[in-house]
Amino acid sequence: MIARAWMVPAALVTSVMAGQADAQDPIRTLLITGENNHNWRYTSRYHKDTLEATGRFTVDITDAPAETLAAPGKAASYQLFVIDFNGNKRWGDAAESGFLKAVEGGAGVVIIHAANNAFGWPRPKDASGDQPWVEYEKMVGLLWREGTGHGSFHNFDVKVVDKEHPITRGLPDLAKHPDELYHKLVNMHNSPYHLLAEAYSNTESGGSGKSEPMALTLAYGKGRIFHTPLGHVWEGSDDQKASIADPQFKVLLSRGAEWAATGEVTLGTSWEEHGAHNTLSPDEKAAGWKLLFDGAAAQFRGFKKDKLPDGWRAANGMLMLVPGLGAGDIVTVDQYQDFEFACNWKVAPGGNSGIMYRCTEDKTYPWETGPEMQILDNAGHQDGKKKQTSAGALYDLLPCQYDVARPAGEWNHAMIRVKGTRIEHWLNGFKVVECDLASDEYKKAHAASKWVKMPDFATRAKGFIALQDHGDEVFFRDIKVRELK
Ligand code: ZN
């Protein structure tokens, strides 16, 4: 049975046959990204989580659409394309025709924010540059082209103008949505479009003084297109991550995506996540993963203690630290040498914690022997200003490579891979730290750090995996480990 996102509002229950929704297979979705002047590493993985949290979609991501879509039959295997891509370089005949054919044949398309800038802006001055992709421009309808702009990032209301369309039926206006407000988008090829929602672009924030389209639909052959210019996140800005984290945006995006793929909307009008947690799929079991937390019991104990301290508690399927009880750090029951450890974590505003590994109990604290993958609310903590100490970093040694950490209150996917002297930190789908403890790069970083005075740091071949009590509220779930042979 497929986990469903939002319950259908009571008033609409009669319009949905009992059991029908549960019988639906998830919509096979390809999210297209890998190039964008925006923070695509952040947004693409976040949109995937948004869609999958509804239980209605299963989302593959390509960071190399020109290659992926050129594979014979690939485009035709998807019911929906979500485009979080803004590049000018054309994908090539095979990829482009595969994609267009799939859409003409009925696959849905979702256009998000700067995807309406792609393939034609700026216009090439001569035939030597990449020529605009006219079919893509027709599909998108309203494009960022000559004369388009936006004012400052600010909060604004998005007004539903069509209350009968499946996407917006019963949907309240978006109140004080934080975003960039595109104005004067250009309909290059006079594509007929249908307006669902608009926002007033005020001149005080640098806007056009007019109402601008914020959600629209179009047709391309048998394909349905849902287009929203919302969803701006710039690299290096934690504040702007609020645009796509806004539950109102998530509802609009998910409903638009479901409609584009199926022509109907069964998802509700308020945001609620579904899905199983603290479980292993058959594939994960076959790959050797073991759960360290089943939602109730944790395979952890206090550092140098024989049981889990009182301040670490299981609640609502999460292992959480209650601050102020002096709980202290906890360690796995077993020790690990070469392994992969994965978990999802979130912190309260300003929160700080960490995952340490290959820790031993012959020193006063786990961090005296074990390297740490930082857990942090980057925006709300001093450490977030430095890449060496921000979320995902090899704490105080090597920086987190990409701006992919999520704001306080949002779940982050963490994975640590350790084999011999090689370590990797993965955060929200990207390898953000890669290092060989035997390398000159590491030795240099080590020599410049406070760890240089700790001769036992990161020298153990085997040890416990520890979760840190830094005095702040922190939550974990889906904690699992597998040994590497
Ligand atoms: Zn933008």
Side-chain angles (χ1 to χ4, degrees):
M1 191 161 85
I2 295 149
R4 296 305 322 287
W6 320 299
M7 298 313 293
V8 175
L12 296 178
V13 163
T14 47
S15 69
V16 177
M17 279 155 57
Q20 184 193 37
D22 285 337
Q24 289 171 332
D25 288 330
I27 295 163
R28 296 184 309 279
T29 304
L30 182 67
L31 196 155
I32 294 172
T33 188
E35 189 180 345
N36 205 311
N37 53 334
H38 294 71
N39 189 353
W40 61 269
R41 287 186 185 83
Y42 183 81
T43 56
S44 59
R45 273 58 183 175
Y46 196 92
H47 294 319
K48 170 183 161 80
D49 282 2
T50 295
L51 293 173
E52 290 190 335
T54 69
R56 192 73 184 89
F57 307 86
T58 172
V59 182
D60 295 338
I61 293 184
T62 175
D63 294 338
E67 286 166 42
T68 302
L69 291 167
K74 190 68 177 172
S77 68
Y78 291 101
Q79 295 165 275
L80 178 68
F81 302 96
V82 175
I83 308 194
D84 185 20
F85 176 96
N86 177 17
N88 254 344
K89 192 166 168 31
R90 299 281 297 269
W91 291 340
D93 286 345
E96 290 180 4
S97 67
F99 170 73
L100 292 177
K101 236 181 172 162
V103 180
E104 275 169 355
V109 176
V110 174
I111 302 290
I112 305 174
H113 196 58
N116 68 23
N117 299 204
F119 299 117
W121 184 253
R123 280 274 193 269
K125 288 196 175 66
D126 56 60
S128 65
D130 270 303
Q131 295 303 302
W133 185 7
V134 170
E135 292 309 308
Y136 182 83
E137 291 186 327
K138 286 181 183 167
M139 183 187 293
V140 172
L142 302 188
L143 297 140
W144 177 292
R145 295 292 184 258
E146 179 102 58
T148 306
H150 60 75
S152 60
F153 189 96
H154 67 294
N155 291 74
F156 53 90
D157 296 340
V158 179
K159 234 181 104 192
V160 173
V161 295
D162 182 348
K163 297 178 189 297
E164 300 303 322
H165 192 277
I167 297 173
T168 40
R169 191 183 298 147
L171 190 72
D173 293 347
L174 282 68
K176 295 192 164 51
H177 169 70
D179 217 319
E180 201 171 68
L181 202 166
Y182 278 3
H183 61 234
K184 299 184 186 168
L185 291 166
V186 182
N187 194 343
M188 295 290 289
H189 309 286
N190 292 314
S191 301
Y193 71 91
H194 181 79
L195 186 67
L196 299 179
E198 63 184 19
Y200 181 70
S201 169
N202 68 54
T203 50
E204 296 88 76
S205 47
S208 62
K210 289 187 184 144
S211 283
E212 301 287 351
M214 291 292 119
L216 51 137
T217 63
L218 303 98
Y220 188 89
K222 288 186 195 155
R224 283 171 294 269
I225 320 298
F226 171 72
H227 174 173
T228 179
L230 298 171
H232 168 88
V233 183
W234 210 249
E235 180 122 15
S237 166
D238 285 310
D239 294 348
Q240 294 173 357
K241 289 174 179 171
S243 69
I244 62 172
D246 181 353
Q248 304 174 110
F249 173 86
K250 293 184 188 182
V251 170
L252 179 66
L253 175 66
S254 305
R255 289 176 63 98
E258 187 185 22
W259 174 83
T262 68
E264 294 167 14
V265 176
T266 65
L267 297 170
T269 55
S270 63
W271 180 249
E272 188 190 322
E273 293 193 10
H274 274 230
H277 291 288
N278 306 310
T279 58
L280 292 176
S281 68
D283 285 352
E284 289 174 317
K285 281 181 194 163
W289 287 98
K290 290 192 172 62
L291 276 181
L292 294 176
F293 177 61
D294 65 5
Q299 303 299 310
F300 286 84
R301 59 178 175 79
F303 182 69
K304 298 196 198 189
K305 292 173 185 158
D306 52 16
K307 63 182 183 54
L308 197 69
D310 188 41
W312 288 90
R313 292 179 190 169
N316 302 321
M318 304 178 288
L319 178 64
M320 62 174 292
L321 174 68
V322 183
L325 299 180
D329 301 339
I330 55 174
V331 295
T332 46
V333 170
D334 292 323
Q335 298 194 47
Y336 301 93
Q337 182 166 345
D338 294 334
F339 63 89
E340 287 177 346
F341 172 88
C343 69
N344 294 320
W345 60 263
K346 64 175 179 176
V347 287
N352 185 352
S353 179
I355 306 162
M356 295 163 284
Y357 43 93
R358 286 182 176 167
C359 304
T360 53
E361 293 184 302
D362 53 324
K363 298 282 162 187
T364 312
Y365 299 103
W367 52 260
E368 291 177 81
T369 53
E372 175 187 347
M373 180 180 191
Q374 172 73 311
I375 287 178
L376 198 76
D377 166 24
N378 282 346
H381 194 287
Q382 192 66 15
D383 275 0
K385 294 188 173 71
K386 258 175 60 191
K387 285 187 175 179
Q388 273 89 340
T389 51
S390 64
L394 177 60
Y395 183 71
D396 220 4
L397 283 165
L398 293 174
C400 176
Q401 295 288 346
Y402 301 116
D403 176 21
V404 291
R406 298 182 183 175
E410 300 270 333
W411 287 103
N412 289 268
H413 310 296
M415 203 274 278
I416 297 167
R417 180 182 290 137
V418 179
K419 196 163 190 198
T421 56
R422 298 200 64 83
I423 59 178
E424 294 174 12
H425 293 181
W426 290 71
L427 186 63
N428 296 323
F430 289 90
K431 186 158 54 179
V432 294
V433 169
E434 181 171 26
C435 146
D436 189 330
L437 296 172
S439 70
D440 290 342
E441 183 205 13
Y442 172 78
K443 284 174 186 160
K444 221 172 128 190
H446 180 261
S449 77
K450 67 177 176 186
W451 314 111
V452 73
K453 290 179 190 141
M454 295 183 190
D456 296 293
F457 179 76
T459 58
R460 307 297 196 243
K462 185 177 184 174
F464 302 101
I465 299 165
L467 304 179
Q468 191 177 45
D469 173 2
H470 209 286
D472 298 326
E473 216 174 7
V474 57
F475 306 83
F476 296 90
R477 70 182 182 198
D478 310 309
I479 311 170
K480 59 198 175 190
V481 67
R482 68 166 174 166
E483 295 192 65
L484 298 175
K485 300 291 177 234

